[in-house]
Amino acid sequence: MKSSLVMARLLRVLGGWRSYCSKRQQERVSDDFVETLKAVVGEPNVSIAAAVREQHGHDESMHRCSPPDAVVWPQNVEQVSQLAALCYDHSIPIIPFGTGTGMEGGVNAIQGGICFNLTRMDRVLELNADDFSVTVEPGVTHKALNSYLRDSGLWFPVDPGADASLCGMAATGASGTNAVRYGTMLENVINLEVVLANGKILYTSGQGRRFRKSSAGYNLTGLFVGSEGTLGLITTATLRLHGIPEATVAAVCPFPSIQAAVDSTVQILQSGVQVARIEFLDDVMMDACNKYSGLTNAVAPTLFLEFHGSNQGLREQLQRAEEITQQNGSSHFTWSKELEERKQLWAARHNAWYATLALRPGCKGYSTDVCVPISRLPEIIVETKEDLKASGLTGPLVGHVGDGNFHCILVFNTEDADEHRRVMEFGKRLGRKALAMNGTCTGEHGIGLGKRQLLKEEIGPEAMETMRQIKAVLDPKNLMNPGKVL
Amino acid sequence: MKSSLVMARLLRVLGGWRSYCSKRQQERVSDDFVETLKAVVGEPNVSIAAAVREQHGHDESMHRCSPPDAVVWPQNVEQVSQLAALCYDHSIPIIPFGTGTGMEGGVNAIQGGICFNLTRMDRVLELNADDFSVTVEPGVTHKALNSYLRDSGLWFPVDPGADASLCGMAATGASGTNAVRYGTMLENVINLEVVLANGKILYTSGQGRRFRKSSAGYNLTGLFVGSEGTLGLITTATLRLHGIPEATVAAVCPFPSIQAAVDSTVQILQSGVQVARIEFLDDVMMDACNKYSGLTNAVAPTLFLEFHGSNQGLREQLQRAEEITQQNGSSHFTWSKELEERKQLWAARHNAWYATLALRPGCKGYSTDVCVPISRLPEIIVETKEDLKASGLTGPLVGHVGDGNFHCILVFNTEDADEHRRVMEFGKRLGRKALAMNGTCTGEHGIGLGKRQLLKEEIGPEAMETMRQIKAVLDPKNLMNPGKVL
């Protein structure tokens, strides 16, 4: 088919699609190519509808929507492989898509291309309870997995808040509130099945392997975890499971100062108390959560804690944690073993995002994410609050303080260009503050689109060059989620 | 200098060096080159003495000694960088050397070249107690670090048995008895300073960074951990530290069968008891340890356990562990909080190697290393014992059973070609048994020289090709510890 004819057809098919969406390269995907996609996955599993494309052109972040040229829903790894090989032959970008709950524009199709929506591959393939492992397809979310595991005595603890897909969580190196005890995705992924840009299928630890540890060759699993879809499409993940603790207790504790809250955290960690979650909320965030979730906590720097263990062991852990918080000036340490009360507490924590949005109805949110050595937390949090004030911005703070990781949830009027600019500048300054304190510009949200400059500053030219070399050798045509991370 | 002259000098200098050592490429290193090395590190820090080279041509394994052409002792990273750049310019292999306590021939200079002995870089550079991190040079061993940390309330738990250097342990992805609770090197390395083959210096997480977690870019730290010196020289490691537990209890428990010991292990792990070590010894190994270390344990499949926690919490953990072992048919569960008794127990465990060698004085040992899903352990252990019997080999079994990882320590007469052959064939069969059970051919010893064929079988052609591509792009001249892993 001549290119002018292709163009004419495309313009007809794509007519009326022009929207606010950016940089779409409509000429990339011919309708012949769309037909080829349909031949692989069946007509109902391909869409070029504007609404569908736009829905797949963004995540939960403030990055401008960039829709793909088409969306495909493969049903199995063979289809993913065939589709990737087709894209490879035609040099068309490939963008993996899970639940779209990312925070740094990781799924935005900034160079157009085909969005691979993997959520229709949603089986739990193999549970090996005695070996504490499970293998899942990309459509299985962490909540769906834990629901599946209900009667097994096991659970998967990594919980980023949103009900994200487990393979997506592997792709972004997610973590969340339980990481202080159970680790991040990095520590909980055993093996990945990955489709490379050229359609070849790779098992990062070898096909079917599900050992707890190995020192056989290079750690490809760790390389693909957190690669944000830029090296390959994750089509199954084998994950490490944990025994459900006999008992769980949640506690809330307000402090006279940020320093007192962080000092308590360090001392609790040093004391050997096996805290499962230890979350910090600043006074503004505590106030917002009180209002949104109907709580009556003191408006002060606050820790939400959770302890997992045996009934008897928990008593001792609680007692020790309470002693430490009292020594740091806290006068209240309220705790509960009741499921409902605990649920309410963690629902309030996980609703921090919505509680913040409710502070300024009609505004949009942007959740930043930095991580510093824990000893630097009081300093960076105090400086951040001063910066917010000086910049005239609304941004409550909440964080996984046991890991030195915290978020500032900025709510701002996207129509107000000046406020938008101030938010962006604030985000960059916060990232650089973290870097100046030996920290990282992202503890768990990833680089995506928004932090590529900060990544360069963080890791330096040699590491950057090494990452570029690895990308170039695994994806020589730069088709896997192009424009992200590097 | 003309090449004939170089050769004449070399032959003079190297005269009399011919030994049993294999495949040395003497023509690689001219005495002019040796002078250049001396100009970088000073004359006392370069050696071409035969005894020194032979000492650096092997580790603790049975692989034939392959001495390097020269040994250098750099004093700092700048010297390592300059030396590497020199080797790179002259296309001379670079072999990193720590304590030489590896088990798979990782330091043998099978293509000759320059051995970089890094043990004179032995400073603890930075301790950040509040942040649970420390940065060490390559000469610091794990025992030296724990001695340094004595008064800090912190410790570094990864302990492979031998007093290996921490950077060497990072290079081989070491683990050991505490891994079931504290993880392997992979989970405990935060950042690495690495000198690449061309002399460039890379920080895997960015210079000076020491956060607990990050999702910034590709996980280069995890790529270099376990790369066995084939991608670069590790010149500092930033490590994660842990709080010293308030109390420690060790326990010993014999079982009527291997199955009962492994069932107890799985149930203890599932019960949420936070076991810090859980080691299995078969009857032959228990007998050998009794004799060597003057113990009086029953000659039966046995678990050595250790629990870390608070005084009160430990009582409960012990009680629960004892209940589980009783349910599985064990009649004795003896435990001790006394430091001396615990030391004696773990010394006996760590002396398993020598206890085994003492079974056949004058013979050599070979410690195999496989790891399987824990549910497959009884089967593979029983099959392995049958195989040993059928092969007429002496090989007690010992292992980190909580991780599904175990070793068979074979003692054999190296002069007996037939026995040597049977040992090699047994090792291959055991590796393949582990692979057939979804396991790995090495849980912690690495691939080195001996398991390159098994690695191919384990990970498959695509993963192998990906590893080769990564190696080629980071070390295009194949100078970094050539002939290992891939």
Side-chain angles (χ1 to χ4, degrees):
Chain A
M1 202 187 310
K2 281 196 183 135
S3 66
S4 58
L5 192 61
V6 172
M7 185 60 81
R9 273 208 198 178
L10 257 174
L11 287 175
R12 202 165 60 241
V13 172
L14 302 176
W17 277 14
R18 302 211 187 289
S19 69
Y20 64 97
C21 300
S22 66
K23 283 195 194 164
R24 191 148 40 79
Q25 294 173 318
Q26 295 175 355
E27 66 280 10
R28 278 183 181 276
V29 177
S30 68
D31 50 1
D32 272 6
F33 188 76
V34 171
E35 290 306 315
T36 328
L37 300 176
K38 286 179 182 169
V40 176
V41 291
E43 181 148 356
N45 293 314
V46 179
S47 176
I48 51 168
V52 172
R53 293 171 47 251
E54 282 177 15
Q55 188 194 339
H56 286 80
H58 64 90
D59 57 10
E60 290 188 359
S61 71
M62 60 173 176
H63 295 288
R64 199 159 57 155
C65 172
S66 298
D69 297 310
V71 180
V72 291
W73 285 264
Q75 313 291 303
N76 53 52
V77 64
E78 291 75 22
Q79 290 185 355
V80 176
S81 167
Q82 286 175 57
L83 292 168
L86 277 173
C87 289
Y88 190 79
D89 287 344
H90 292 76
S91 298
I92 293 171
I94 297 164
I95 302 101
F97 194 98
T99 51
T101 46
M103 303 301 278
E104 286 296 343
V107 299
N108 298 33
I110 57 169
Q111 297 181 21
I114 309 302
C115 173
F116 285 53
N117 184 320
L118 301 168
T119 54
R120 291 186 192 164
M121 294 168 65
D122 61 355
R123 292 173 302 165
V124 176
L125 295 178
E126 191 181 2
L127 170 63
N128 294 96
D130 278 353
D131 299 322
F132 302 86
S133 75
V134 70
T135 301
V136 298
E137 289 188 329
V140 180
T141 66
H142 68 93
K143 282 188 186 164
L145 175 62
N146 281 321
S147 167
Y148 179 92
L149 293 172
R150 207 170 31 224
D151 302 320
S152 69
L154 299 171
W155 73 309
F156 184 73
V158 186
D159 178 0
D163 190 20
S165 70
L166 292 154
C167 290
M169 287 164 60
T172 54
S175 47
T177 53
N178 287 305
V180 66
R181 170 141 180 193
Y182 298 96
T184 71
M185 288 304 281
L186 205 51
E187 287 86 29
N188 287 286
V189 175
I190 295 168
N191 201 353
L192 296 171
E193 180 187 69
V194 176
V195 174
L196 299 176
N198 59 12
K200 288 191 176 165
I201 299 168
L202 172 86
Y203 299 89
T204 55
S205 299
Q207 190 168 9
R209 315 237 158 263
R210 49 188 178 79
F211 36 67
R212 255 178 90 103
K213 67 179 193 187
S214 171
S215 57
Y218 304 153
N219 177 18
L220 297 182
T221 303
L223 182 63
F224 280 89
V225 170
S227 62
E228 302 186 38
T230 64
L231 300 179
L233 295 125
I234 298 174
T235 47
T236 72
T238 301
L239 304 168
R240 185 167 166 180
L241 300 174
H242 299 257
I244 292 176
E246 180 184 307
T248 300
V249 174
V252 181
C253 187
F255 289 90
S257 67
I258 295 163
Q259 184 77 49
V262 176
D263 285 351
S264 298
T265 304
V266 172
Q267 289 161 25
I268 287 169
L269 293 174
Q270 277 177 338
S271 74
V273 170
Q274 286 278 317
V275 69
R277 303 181 184 195
I278 185 159
E279 296 284 303
F280 171 80
L281 295 83
D282 79 345
D283 53 340
V284 185
M285 183 58 91
M286 193 63 259
D287 194 29
C289 286
N290 278 344
K291 285 172 181 152
Y292 186 80
S293 297
L295 304 177
T296 55
N297 293 301
V299 176
T302 302
L303 290 181
F304 281 15
L305 302 104
E306 192 165 277
F307 305 90
H308 296 171
S310 63
N311 283 307
Q312 196 178 325
L314 281 187
R315 263 199 297 281
E316 194 186 11
Q317 289 191 40
L318 272 172
Q319 194 183 337
R320 185 166 302 194
E322 185 168 6
E323 278 165 20
I324 290 170
T325 59
Q326 280 174 349
Q327 281 157 13
N328 285 292
S330 175
S331 54
H332 297 284
F333 184 91
T334 51
W335 58 271
S336 175
K337 278 180 78 169
E338 297 310 314
L339 182 63
E340 276 315 306
E341 282 186 66
R342 285 192 285 115
K343 269 193 176 164
Q344 196 188 17
L345 182 76
W346 292 108
R349 163 63 188 88
H350 283 143
N351 282 329
W353 170 256
Y354 301 104
T356 306
L357 291 181
L359 292 176
R360 292 182 66 187
C363 285
K364 220 173 142 56
Y366 167 53
S367 176
T368 62
D369 165 42
V370 297
C371 184
V372 294
I374 198 169
S375 66
R376 308 301 296 271
L377 262 177
E379 191 181 346
I380 196 169
I381 288 177
V382 168
E383 280 182 19
T384 300
K385 288 176 76 72
E386 282 165 5
D387 190 349
L388 286 165
K389 203 171 167 187
S391 309
L393 295 171
T394 306
L397 300 176
V398 62
H400 317 311
V401 76
D403 293 322
N405 180 206
F406 75 96
H407 310 300
C408 175
I409 306 182
L410 295 143
V411 272
F412 66 103
N413 178 358
T414 48
E415 307 293 303
D416 180 341
D418 184 63
E419 192 177 11
H420 194 163
R421 182 188 53 76
R422 279 181 285 133
V423 164
M424 303 308 293
E425 287 173 358
F426 168 86
K428 283 248 171 3
R429 270 198 308 278
L430 179 55
R432 291 194 174 118
K433 266 193 201 90
L435 296 187
M437 294 181 186
N438 305 105
T440 172
C441 69
T442 173
E444 56 184 28
H445 289 179
I447 296 297
L449 281 175
K451 292 192 168 168
R452 289 172 294 176
Q453 175 56 35
L454 287 170
L455 175 64
K456 283 186 208 170
E457 297 171 25
E458 178 167 333
I459 60 166
E462 286 310 324
M464 202 68 203
E465 177 57 20
T466 301
M467 290 185 190
R468 280 205 197 94
Q469 288 174 328
I470 290 171
K471 165 77 173 171
V473 82
L474 289 180
D475 178 22
K477 289 180 162 188
N478 189 25
L479 298 177
M480 285 304 316
N481 206 6
K484 311 298 167 56
V485 183
L486 302 178
Chain B
M1 201 186 310
K2 281 193 185 139
S3 67
S4 58
L5 192 62
V6 172
M7 187 58 83
R9 274 206 197 178
L10 255 174
L11 287 175
R12 202 166 59 240
V13 172
L14 301 175
W17 277 13
R18 300 207 190 292
S19 68
Y20 64 99
C21 302
S22 68
K23 281 195 195 163
R24 190 150 41 81
Q25 294 173 320
Q26 294 173 358
E27 66 280 13
R28 277 182 183 275
V29 178
S30 67
D31 50 0
D32 271 6
F33 189 75
V34 171
E35 290 306 316
T36 328
L37 300 176
K38 287 179 183 170
V40 175
V41 292
E43 182 147 356
N45 293 314
V46 179
S47 177
I48 51 169
V52 172
R53 292 170 47 250
E54 281 177 16
Q55 187 194 339
H56 287 81
H58 64 90
D59 57 10
E60 291 188 358
S61 71
M62 61 174 174
H63 294 289
R64 197 159 58 154
C65 173
S66 299
D69 297 309
V71 180
V72 291
W73 285 264
Q75 313 292 303
N76 54 53
V77 64
E78 291 76 22
Q79 290 184 357
V80 176
S81 167
Q82 285 176 56
L83 292 168
L86 276 173
C87 289
Y88 190 79
D89 288 344
H90 291 77
S91 297
I92 293 172
I94 297 165
I95 303 101
F97 194 98
T99 50
T101 47
M103 304 301 278
E104 285 297 344
V107 298
N108 298 31
I110 57 169
Q111 297 182 21
I114 309 301
C115 173
F116 285 53
N117 183 319
L118 301 168
T119 54
R120 292 187 191 163
M121 293 169 65
D122 62 355
R123 291 173 303 166
V124 176
L125 295 177
E126 193 181 2
L127 170 64
N128 295 96
D130 279 352
D131 299 321
F132 302 85
S133 75
V134 70
T135 300
V136 298
E137 288 188 328
V140 180
T141 66
H142 68 92
K143 282 188 186 163
L145 176 61
N146 281 321
S147 167
Y148 180 92
L149 293 172
R150 206 172 30 225
D151 301 321
S152 69
L154 299 171
W155 72 310
F156 184 73
V158 185
D159 178 1
D163 190 20
S165 70
L166 292 154
C167 290
M169 287 163 61
T172 54
S175 48
T177 52
N178 287 304
V180 65
R181 170 140 180 194
Y182 298 96
T184 71
M185 287 305 283
L186 205 52
E187 288 86 28
N188 286 285
V189 175
I190 296 167
N191 201 352
L192 296 171
E193 179 187 71
V194 176
V195 175
L196 298 176
N198 59 13
K200 287 190 177 167
I201 300 169
L202 172 86
Y203 299 89
T204 55
S205 298
Q207 190 167 10
R209 315 239 158 262
R210 51 190 178 78
F211 35 67
R212 254 178 92 102
K213 68 179 193 186
S214 170
S215 58
Y218 304 152
N219 176 17
L220 297 182
T221 304
L223 182 62
F224 280 90
V225 171
S227 62
E228 303 188 36
T230 64
L231 300 179
L233 296 125
I234 297 174
T235 48
T236 71
T238 301
L239 305 168
R240 186 166 167 182
L241 300 174
H242 299 258
I244 292 176
E246 180 183 306
T248 300
V249 173
V252 181
C253 187
F255 289 88
S257 68
I258 295 163
Q259 184 78 46
V262 176
D263 284 351
S264 297
T265 303
V266 172
Q267 288 162 25
I268 286 170
L269 293 174
Q270 277 177 338
S271 74
V273 170
Q274 284 279 316
V275 69
R277 304 181 182 193
I278 186 160
E279 296 283 304
F280 170 80
L281 295 82
D282 79 345
D283 53 340
V284 185
M285 183 58 91
M286 193 64 258
D287 194 28
C289 287
N290 278 344
K291 285 173 181 150
Y292 186 82
S293 297
L295 303 178
T296 55
N297 292 302
V299 176
T302 302
L303 290 181
F304 283 13
L305 302 104
E306 192 166 277
F307 305 89
H308 296 171
S310 63
N311 283 306
Q312 197 179 322
L314 280 187
R315 264 198 297 280
E316 194 185 11
Q317 290 192 41
L318 272 172
Q319 193 183 337
R320 184 166 301 194
E322 185 169 8
E323 278 165 22
I324 291 170
T325 58
Q326 280 174 352
Q327 281 157 14
N328 285 291
S330 176
S331 54
H332 297 285
F333 184 90
T334 51
W335 57 271
S336 175
K337 278 181 76 170
E338 297 311 313
L339 182 63
E340 275 315 306
E341 282 186 65
R342 286 193 284 114
K343 269 193 175 165
Q344 195 188 18
L345 182 77
W346 292 108
R349 164 62 189 89
H350 282 144
N351 283 330
W353 170 255
Y354 301 104
T356 307
L357 291 182
L359 292 176
R360 290 183 67 186
C363 285
K364 222 172 140 54
Y366 167 52
S367 176
T368 62
D369 164 43
V370 298
C371 183
V372 295
I374 197 168
S375 66
R376 307 302 295 271
L377 261 178
E379 191 181 346
I380 195 169
I381 288 177
V382 168
E383 281 182 19
T384 300
K385 288 176 76 72
E386 283 165 4
D387 191 348
L388 285 166
K389 202 172 169 187
S391 309
L393 294 171
T394 306
L397 300 177
V398 62
H400 316 311
V401 75
D403 294 321
N405 181 205
F406 75 94
H407 311 299
C408 176
I409 305 181
L410 295 144
V411 271
F412 66 102
N413 179 358
T414 49
E415 306 294 303
D416 180 340
D418 184 63
E419 191 177 12
H420 195 163
R421 181 188 53 75
R422 280 180 285 131
V423 165
M424 303 308 295
E425 287 174 358
F426 168 85
K428 284 246 169 8
R429 271 197 309 277
L430 179 56
R432 290 193 174 116
K433 268 194 200 92
L435 297 186
M437 294 182 187
N438 305 104
T440 172
C441 68
T442 172
E444 55 184 28
H445 290 178
I447 296 297
L449 281 175
K451 292 191 169 168
R452 289 172 295 176
Q453 175 56 34
L454 287 170
L455 175 64
K456 281 187 209 169
E457 297 172 25
E458 177 167 333
I459 61 167
E462 286 309 324
M464 202 68 202
E465 177 58 20
T466 301
M467 289 185 191
R468 281 204 197 95
Q469 287 174 328
I470 290 171
K471 164 76 173 172
V473 82
L474 288 180
D475 178 22
K477 290 181 162 185
N478 189 25
L479 298 178
M480 284 305 315
N481 206 6
K484 312 299 166 57
V485 183
L486 301 178

